[in-house]
Amino acid sequence: MALVCKPISLSCNWEGIQTWKSFRPLLGCISTNCRTRLHSNYRRPGVPPDNTPPWKKINFSFAKGVEGVKTHFGLLKKEIVDHVTGPDGRPIEEYLVEQTHVAWEFRSQEDLSQWIVTSDQEVGGKSVAHLKLGRNNQTALFYGTLNTEVPRDGETKYSGYCSLRSKFPQGAFDRKKHHDWSSFNTLVMRVRGDGRPWMVNIATEMYFSHQKNDLYNYFLFTRGGPYWQDVKIPFSKFFLSSKGRVQDSQHPIWVDKVNAVGFTLGDQVNGPFQLEIDFIGLCNDRAHTEEFAYEKYKRNP
């Protein structure tokens, strides 16, 4: 599938600043939910802690164990074959000259299974979100209803968000892997929205526990209506945030260690929403030479 990079206007305006203020209270929860639960011990306010011993939670099944071993050895075989063939299973000569690459497309239920839907129901909210195949099984339709009503637990202050993100890549026997996008400099996608502002999120590998809430963000303003929108976002435009707060110390994305891509809606407007996605890909735009769009502070040695 060929991708054509079409330039769009990327600018920071007053509308974007106001939208960021609407998203900010929610991104603390969103960034945590977008990452694995291994790094979080979150418990919904008002719910008693689960003191069940870990050994009681084990559901042993010999048949499932055998099936799991077969699956992982199959993945291991594929990884070995791909490694011999070349990077990501493509010949080295093809990999070196590749200018565009489709990372995700939505043509079957198996493609949808690579994504996770979350909402403020995890913190007691009432928003509802779903993901299904679009018309003719050629797109993914993320839809639902946003509800900003705050749960009455005495602790939660903000509510009203829905989010969609890709699963973290894993190798055989649940080994951690990453998306290596070092050959590209731009994220491209074809979407059809409802006129709402969405947040595009990129999660990268973290080496320290205090970085577990770090996310790279960029605002996507959808047009609404029946027409598709070709979006092109350079990686240099993504800014670093943690728990919904833009960080003073900004630095570019580690494009060789990308874990996930996601979309978040939290514009504090009650009502139905929908975002239809055709594909998400990458592009090496030779005309874009900017390294990073934001000021990088120098630290004392």
Side-chain angles (χ1 to χ4, degrees):
M1 180 175 182
L3 305 183
V4 179
C5 291
K6 297 181 179 179
I8 62 173
S9 175
L10 299 174
S11 61
C12 181
N13 51 25
W14 178 251
E15 183 182 2
I17 295 174
Q18 294 300 318
T19 307
W20 168 256
K21 291 181 179 180
S22 299
F23 275 89
R24 177 176 174 178
L26 304 173
L27 291 180
C29 297
I30 296 169
S31 59
T32 302
N33 292 333
C34 281
R35 298 190 182 273
T36 174
R37 290 292 184 180
L38 295 176
H39 301 281
S40 174
N41 56 356
Y42 174 79
R43 177 177 57 85
R44 181 190 295 182
V47 176
D50 184 8
N51 297 321
T52 306
W55 59 271
K56 286 188 177 181
K57 299 179 181 180
I58 299 176
N59 184 16
F60 179 78
S61 173
F62 182 78
K64 289 184 179 180
V66 173
E67 186 65 27
V69 170
K70 290 182 179 179
T71 301
H72 285 292
F73 272 105
L75 291 175
L76 182 60
K77 178 182 177 181
K78 182 179 183 302
E79 288 181 13
I80 295 174
V81 173
D82 290 347
H83 181 74
V84 173
T85 304
D88 296 334
R90 301 193 300 275
I92 185 65
E93 59 272 12
E94 177 184 334
Y95 178 82
L96 292 176
V97 300
E98 188 178 36
Q99 299 298 309
T100 59
H101 174 67
V102 176
W104 292 278
E105 57 183 354
F106 307 92
R107 305 294 184 264
S108 64
Q109 288 293 336
E110 183 178 357
D111 296 332
L112 297 186
S113 65
Q114 302 301 315
W115 292 76
I116 296 176
V117 176
T118 58
S119 69
D120 55 29
Q121 289 186 354
E122 297 188 359
V123 296
K126 297 183 179 180
S127 297
V128 179
H130 305 281
L131 180 66
K132 69 175 184 179
L133 287 173
R135 183 175 299 178
N136 298 327
N137 296 338
Q138 295 296 309
T139 60
L141 181 61
F142 180 49
Y143 67 100
T145 304
L146 195 70
N147 191 325
T148 59
E149 182 179 346
V150 179
R152 299 180 180 179
D153 51 28
E155 298 183 32
T156 305
K157 297 181 180 180
Y158 304 99
S159 184
Y161 75 87
C162 294
S163 132
L164 172 70
R165 74 160 176 90
S166 61
K167 291 184 178 179
F168 285 20
Q170 289 184 331
F173 302 102
D174 295 334
R175 292 181 297 107
K176 184 186 295 185
K177 297 181 65 178
H178 310 287
H179 300 294
D180 184 1
W181 295 347
S182 54
S183 300
F184 309 97
N185 62 3
T186 305
L187 183 71
V188 293
M189 61 186 75
R190 191 165 186 255
V191 299
R192 181 160 56 183
D194 52 4
R196 289 186 179 229
W198 291 78
M199 182 78 82
V200 181
N201 310 311
I202 295 182
T204 60
E205 176 61 12
M206 48 191 172
Y207 290 102
F208 304 101
S209 59
H210 67 272
Q211 295 176 321
K212 65 181 181 180
N213 296 308
D214 287 0
L215 276 179
Y216 290 92
N217 313 110
Y218 189 84
F219 282 107
L220 170 63
F221 294 94
T222 58
R223 299 171 183 169
Y227 301 107
W228 286 96
Q229 180 178 355
D230 294 320
V231 181
K232 170 187 171 185
I233 311 175
F235 291 136
S236 61
K237 300 293 185 182
F238 284 86
F239 56 88
L240 177 64
S241 68
S242 179
K243 294 184 178 180
R245 294 176 174 84
V246 181
Q247 300 299 289
D248 289 334
S249 179
Q250 293 285 327
H251 54 81
I253 297 178
W254 293 348
V255 290
D256 60 332
K257 294 192 180 298
V258 174
N259 286 335
V261 173
F263 302 86
T264 299
L265 176 66
D267 57 359
Q268 298 293 289
V269 178
N270 292 324
F273 68 86
Q274 69 174 31
L275 178 68
E276 193 171 2
I277 308 171
D278 185 1
F279 68 87
I280 302 173
L282 307 161
C283 172
N284 185 14
D285 186 0
R286 298 294 181 87
H288 183 78
T289 58
E290 181 182 57
E291 295 184 3
F292 196 54
Y294 311 102
E295 181 179 3
K296 294 184 290 185
Y297 287 91
K298 293 183 179 180
R299 298 180 177 179
N300 294 328

